[in-house]
Amino acid sequence: MSDCIFCKIAKGEIPSKKVYEDDKVLAFYDIEPAAPVHVLVIPKNHIGSINEINNENSSIVAHIFEVINKIVVELNIADTGYRVVSNCGDQGGQTVGHLHFHLLGGRNLAWPPG
Ligand code: 5GP
Ligand code: ZN
């Protein structure tokens, strides 16, 4: 989508601090980190949210989790622990309408979230 900020980041039109990239997925540091490690993992193709995951595009989600598995090893949080979150819709706290998975780690994370 042309006016989508994460589509622009995926295309390199807006700069980001990249952690991982391949032809389908980009991972980059969140601009407002909520934890010592706060990475966003996105599909390069526009998917609005979890609500738009379907039989045609769902393989990207499995790929994203394989990528997350690599990133947590690289960033040294695989053993200490981490959380993966995808906020969906207004009450879920989603502010960017392009599917993304927050990868949070490096501190004790409270549960339940606010
Ligand atoms: P949401 O609130 O939709 O779950 O998460 C959106 C996340 O994107 C927020 O944590 C916010 O800090 C991050 N974010 C918004 N705009 C940018 C940006 O231009 N660059 C980066 N790196 N992160 C962004
Ligand atoms: Zn987008």
Side-chain angles (χ1 to χ4, degrees), residues 5-6 9 14-16 28-32 38 40 87 93-96 100 102:
I5 190 169
F6 284 1
I9 287 176
I14 293 175
S16 66
F28 55 98
Y29 285 103
D30 196 292
I31 205 166
E32 272 184 61
H38 189 172
L40 300 171
N87 299 323
Q94 184 176 10
T95 60
V96 176
H100 52 283
H102 296 259

Side-chain angles (χ1 to χ4, degrees), residues 2-22:
S2 57
D3 61 343
C4 170
I5 190 169
F6 284 1
C7 280
K8 287 181 182 164
I9 287 176
K11 288 185 201 136
E13 293 169 12
I14 293 175
S16 66
K17 202 173 160 202
K18 292 177 190 177
V19 178
Y20 172 91
E21 182 171 24
D22 63 29

